[in-house]
Amino acid sequence: MGQEQDQGAAPSRRALIGWGGAGLALGAVAAGGAVAMAKNGDGADASGTDESGAVEFHGAHQAGIATPVQDRLHFAAFDVKTDDRAEFVQLLKDWTAAARRMTAGKAVGEGAYGGLAEAPPDDTGEALGLPPSRLTLTLGFGPSLFEKFGLKERRPAALVDLPKFPGDNLDKARTGGDLCIQACADDPQVAVHAVRNLARIGFGKVAIRWSQLGFGKTSSTTPGSQTPRNLFGFKDGTRNIAGTETDRLEKHVWAGDGDGGAKDAWMSGGSYLVARRIRMNIETWDRTSLQEQEDVFGRDKGEGAPSGKAKEHDEPFLKAMKPDAHVRLAHPDANGGITILRRGYSFTDGTDGLGRLDAGLFFLAYQRDPRKGFIPLQRRLAAHDALNEYIQHVGSAVFAIPPGVRDAGDWWGRTLLSEEA
C-alpha cells in the first residue's frame, strides 16, 4: 500500500510556479477545458502552456515516471512470441513511432480512414477528435525477456525476481511479463486507445499477458497539489518524491552510470518498476471503527495528519503511533532511508462472484534498485503491517525501464538491443 516518503528539499519558486500551473491546467481539463501544461520526460519545468495538453515524448528519461500524475491508467504486460531478434527490434521501432505520434495527439500511421478500403486502417479511430490528454507511454523489460535473443548477459544486476512475501496470494495470470506498457492520460479512452494500437501493431510478435485499468491516482509527483485518497478513504503518498526534486530523483529513482558495472551501462538514465495488484477487503474495512482505521494507518482520516499532529505535512513522531501502524513501518526513518517514487491507481473490476467488490490499489513504484528499495521495504511491511488484515497482494511484476528516447532517430530499447551499442 502507500509507502510513507521523506519530505526532501523544498522546490524552487520557479518550479512551484511551473508545477502550480500544471495543477491548474489539470483542473481545466477535468472541467472540460483543453488547456494543460506540457511536460518533458525529465519532469523539468515547462516553458509555457500547450493547448493540446501534450507531454514531450523525447528526453533523457522516459515520460510517465516523474511526469505529473494523470487521472487514468491502462497498464499492459506482454509476452514476446517471436524468436527473431530483428523482428523484435523492428517492433520496438514501430512502437516508438506510434507512441511518438499518439502522445502528440496524432493518429497512428496513415490514420483511421482515407486509406485503401480493402485494408485495415493504421489507427483504430476511437481517439479521433480527442486531445492528447497528457498521454504518456512508458516501456519496460521483464526478467523473462533476457532469456530470449541472447540477452542473458545483459540482464541488469538490479532486475531480480521478486521473492515470495508473507501473505502473497499471486495469480499467475496477473503476474510477470516480458514487456510492459504503462499508458497514463487524463482521458481513459486515450489511454486505452494507446495500448490497443500497440497491441495491434505487435500482433503475431507479442500478445497481452494481462492488463489493468486504473482511476483516481493514489500518489502525486506535483508539489503543492492535494494529496489523493485511496479506496480506504485515507490520503496516500503524502511524502512522495516530487518531479521537481532532481537531487532525490537522481539518488533514488534514476539508474546511474556505475550501477551494476559496465554490462549494465545501457540502463543509465532508466529506472526499475515494481507493479503489484493489491486487493482491498472493502467490506471488512467498511465495518471497522474509525479509531481502528486511524490506528492502522497512523494518520487521521480527515486532515491526514500523523498521529499526535495537527496537519498532514507535519513531521511524524513515529513513536506516537502503534508499533504496527503502516506509516510507522513504511517511513524512511524506520527503514534506513529507503525511498521510492510511487505512481499507483485505484481499481474496481466488478465483483468476485460472492457479492464482494474486486477493488483495490494497483501499486506502481519506481526506484534505482529494487534490492535496496521495494524488496526490503515490503519484507518489513508483509511481516508486521496492521494493514495486512485488510489487503492481499494478488498480482506482481518487475521491469527494467530503459532510458528515454532521445530524439526522432532514437527508439525504445536501443541502448540494449542496438548492435552498435
Side-chain angles (χ1 to χ4, degrees):
M1 279 290 292
Q3 268 66 24
E4 186 76 3
Q5 296 302 313
D6 184 25
Q7 184 66 31
S12 68
R13 179 177 179 273
R14 177 171 177 265
L16 284 171
I17 292 171
W19 284 68
L24 291 172
L26 178 54
V29 171
V35 180
M37 183 73 77
K39 292 291 176 182
N40 64 26
D42 300 347
D45 296 328
S47 59
T49 58
D50 177 356
E51 291 188 0
S52 70
V55 175
E56 176 58 51
F57 179 70
H58 300 124
H61 313 294
Q62 290 195 61
I65 302 173
T67 309
V69 184
Q70 303 92 322
D71 286 344
R72 301 287 181 150
L73 167 80
H74 189 190
F75 190 96
F78 293 80
D79 289 330
V80 174
K81 297 301 184 182
T82 181
D83 56 6
D84 185 322
R85 180 186 174 114
E87 187 175 48
F88 179 63
V89 167
Q90 187 59 52
L91 169 65
L92 293 178
K93 292 179 178 179
D94 292 343
W95 270 10
T96 304
R100 187 180 284 119
R101 291 187 62 84
M102 289 190 290
T103 54
K106 300 176 182 178
V108 176
E110 297 298 320
Y113 60 91
L116 290 174
E118 297 78 17
D122 288 343
D123 189 284
T124 53
E126 72 272 24
L128 284 172
L130 298 177
S133 301
R134 297 196 302 131
L135 172 67
T136 56
L137 291 167
T138 312
L139 173 134
F141 299 137
S144 54
L145 180 72
F146 294 86
E147 300 300 317
K148 310 174 190 289
F149 309 121
L151 295 174
K152 186 173 291 189
E153 299 304 316
R154 305 296 304 278
R155 177 174 172 173
L159 186 62
V160 295
D161 295 308
L162 297 180
K164 180 174 173 58
F165 299 101
D168 277 4
N169 185 22
L170 302 183
D171 179 355
K172 289 184 179 180
R174 293 183 179 273
T175 296
D178 296 330
L179 300 171
C180 76
I181 292 288
Q182 173 195 280
C184 298
D186 290 324
D187 185 329
Q189 187 141 320
V190 171
V192 170
H193 167 265
V195 171
R196 176 183 176 185
N197 277 269
L198 294 180
R200 180 187 54 79
I201 291 168
F203 183 78
K205 298 177 278 291
V206 296
I208 291 182
R209 179 181 178 89
W210 56 269
S211 67
Q212 181 66 57
L213 293 171
F215 69 91
K217 60 188 179 186
T218 60
S219 300
S220 173
T221 57
T222 309
S225 67
Q226 180 173 311
T227 306
R229 292 181 184 268
N230 57 38
L231 292 183
F232 283 160
F234 278 76
K235 291 185 177 182
D236 214 340
T238 293
R239 295 172 179 267
N240 201 28
I241 300 175
T244 51
E245 296 179 298
T246 54
D247 290 347
R248 295 179 77 208
L249 289 168
E250 291 293 336
K251 181 178 180 180
H252 298 294
V253 177
W254 307 130
D257 289 336
D259 295 359
K263 78 178 183 67
D264 293 353
W266 68 270
M267 271 294 292
S268 180
S271 189
Y272 294 90
L273 169 64
V274 171
R276 303 278 283 186
R277 187 177 191 271
I278 304 174
R279 174 85 180 268
M280 298 166 100
N281 300 322
I282 299 291
E283 292 77 14
T284 303
W285 180 261
D286 290 346
R287 295 193 298 270
T288 300
S289 72
L290 175 61
Q291 185 62 60
E292 183 173 344
Q293 290 182 1
E294 293 183 336
D295 286 344
V296 165
F297 273 98
R299 288 186 177 275
D300 77 60
K301 197 168 189 176
E303 168 63 26
S307 297
K309 300 288 184 174
K311 298 295 183 182
E312 177 189 353
H313 293 284
D314 287 349
E315 191 64 31
F317 179 55
L318 300 184
K319 291 184 179 179
M321 303 174 189
K322 299 252 180 170
D324 57 357
H326 180 72
V327 169
R328 179 170 180 171
L329 292 170
H331 196 279
D333 288 353
N335 292 283
I338 292 175
T339 304
I340 56 179
L341 188 155
R342 296 182 48 247
R343 223 188 140 85
Y345 287 83
S346 295
F347 70 85
T348 55
D349 290 339
T351 60
D352 62 2
L354 299 173
R356 298 173 302 196
L357 282 174
D358 182 5
L361 169 68
F362 190 65
F363 174 88
L364 297 167
Y366 288 91
Q367 62 235 275
R368 187 167 182 169
D369 187 337
R371 298 170 300 178
K372 301 174 182 177
F374 176 80
I375 292 174
L377 187 57
Q378 182 57 25
R379 279 191 171 128
R380 178 174 171 83
L381 292 173
H384 305 292
D385 193 353
L387 198 56
N388 292 333
E389 181 179 348
Y390 303 98
I391 64 172
Q392 188 168 62
H393 292 239
V394 295
S396 179
V398 60
F399 299 95
I401 308 298
V405 176
R406 298 281 183 150
D407 51 40
D410 200 2
W411 45 277
W412 269 330
R414 176 191 56 80
T415 57
L416 170 64
L417 288 152
S418 170
E419 295 295 347
E420 294 77 12

